[in-house]
Amino acid sequence: MRNDKVGFIGLGNMGGRMTRRLVDAGMPVLGFDTDPSRAAACGATAAGSVREVVQDCDVVLMSLPDSNVVEAVVEGADGVLAHSRAGQTVIDLSTAAASSTQRLHGLFRDKGVHYIDAGISGGAAAAEKGTLTLMIGGDAQAVEAIRWVFQPFSTKALHMGASGAGHTTKLLNNFLNAVSLAATAEVMVAGKKAGLDLHQLLDVLNSSSGVNFATQNRFPHIVDGNYLEGGLTSKLMTKDVVLYVDLAHELGVASLNASGPLSCFGLATALGYGDKISNRVVDAIGDVSGGIRLKDAGH
């Protein structure tokens, strides 16, 4: 068992599940969240502040909503950067803008702190099972030295390159996820309205060129009324697509396919589904298509 002390900031939907995996693997975790009850719920020892986590731990993981929150937690007067020390490792598991990540990396580097960005994929279910995929950016030696902390909650951890490469890869992946989910939701509403058997439609799609993650893993449950609650919300999906568009603009890449998911998840938010799992986008499309639901009430 390693002697490194592990801290975790942000014990929400994903952070809490990753913390539970660390604790179950025999690693005591000092955790902080704005909701104090979350530490006990995932088996962590509750910290009273960000400062306490940073001062007491050798490795600090963060799972926060976006770059704005990451920057506030890191650069605040009593934040991570202020209390970090040389030789420490800080790992950002959030979905964040690569440009922000690279800037923070420079600030930590000046203090002798390793700052690693690790985008995650697989959602709440994979976090629960410890089968997440990680996309990692940062110094290669620092990444290799910290792989042990990823093992309890991931089955694949790929070093994508220098600082920001992990978060860049995450945004590329999330954009494709948003496109496929929004497009498949539209197709399924159309199939329902056309009177097709949706299980058969999915069987066709999954053995044809239209196959994607949503047809394989989401809609076989959704057509039976199980929306797989607990995953990424429509508001957060919209945020990720906006981050992708910003990235494409910074890179000078034409972003020609963002209007679809932005419209779909924006519609979902406008119709009251913003804080529900992004899979509910199919209900938003159904609402404006004649009140369509994939699963009929009472069936």
Side-chain angles (χ1 to χ4, degrees):
M1 181 62 62
R2 298 186 65 98
N3 295 322
D4 307 68
K5 294 182 179 180
V6 177
F8 212 117
I9 300 170
L11 306 175
N13 193 42
M14 295 299 290
R17 286 176 167 85
M18 288 185 278
T19 296
R20 170 56 69 182
R21 294 292 307 182
L22 293 169
V23 171
D24 288 349
M27 299 181 198
V29 176
L30 181 63
F32 175 78
D33 194 274
T34 52
D35 179 351
S37 68
R38 287 179 172 172
C42 62
T45 299
S49 65
V50 168
R51 175 173 62 179
E52 183 181 344
V53 173
V54 179
Q55 289 181 335
D56 288 0
C57 297
D58 306 298
V59 179
V60 177
L61 300 100
M62 303 186 298
S63 181
L64 301 168
D66 55 38
S67 288
N68 291 332
V69 179
V70 171
E71 289 173 355
V73 170
V74 169
E75 297 183 277
D78 215 21
V80 177
L81 186 63
H83 299 290
S84 62
R85 61 189 180 276
Q88 204 168 23
T89 300
V90 178
I91 303 169
D92 184 13
L93 297 150
S94 315
T95 301
S99 56
S100 173
T101 298
Q102 290 163 346
R103 185 179 67 81
L104 294 179
H105 175 268
L107 296 177
F108 278 112
R109 182 186 58 217
D110 290 344
K111 293 192 69 173
V113 177
H114 301 297
Y115 189 58
I116 294 170
D117 51 294
I120 57 179
S121 184
E128 193 96 37
K129 294 184 290 186
T131 58
L132 291 168
T133 293
L134 303 185
M135 314 147 214
I136 306 169
D139 177 78
Q141 288 186 329
V143 170
E144 289 306 312
I146 204 65
R147 282 191 179 275
W148 57 270
V149 84
F150 297 136
Q151 291 173 356
F153 54 80
S154 69
T155 50
K156 183 175 289 188
L158 301 175
H159 183 215
M160 302 303 298
S163 176
H167 283 162
T168 294
T169 306
K170 168 69 170 172
L171 292 180
L172 300 181
N173 176 77
N174 276 24
F175 177 64
L176 288 178
N177 176 43
V179 170
S180 63
L181 175 54
T184 304
E186 181 181 315
V187 163
M188 297 305 290
V189 170
K192 178 70 173 183
K193 203 162 186 181
L196 299 179
D197 180 294
L198 297 186
H199 289 95
Q200 280 193 265
L201 175 58
L202 284 171
D203 193 23
V204 170
L205 295 175
N206 285 329
S207 58
S208 303
S209 56
V211 63
N212 62 68
F213 186 87
T215 62
Q216 289 184 315
N217 298 286
R218 301 181 188 275
F219 282 92
H221 303 282
I222 296 171
V223 297
D224 289 327
N226 176 9
Y227 289 85
L228 305 171
E229 301 291 358
L232 194 70
T233 66
S234 284
K235 284 183 180 177
L236 290 176
M237 186 72 87
T238 302
K239 179 265 297 182
D240 287 358
V241 177
V242 170
L243 284 173
Y244 166 78
V245 173
D246 289 343
L247 174 66
H249 176 71
E250 290 172 10
L251 295 173
V253 173
S255 181
L256 307 177
N257 295 288
S259 59
L262 283 176
S263 297
C264 289
F265 295 107
L267 174 69
T269 297
L271 294 180
Y273 302 101
D275 292 321
K276 298 181 182 294
I277 190 168
S278 53
N279 293 340
R280 290 276 181 178
V281 69
V282 70
D283 288 351
I285 295 172
D287 287 347
V288 296
S289 302
I292 301 298
R293 288 292 180 271
L294 300 191
K295 180 175 172 60
D296 295 323
H299 291 80

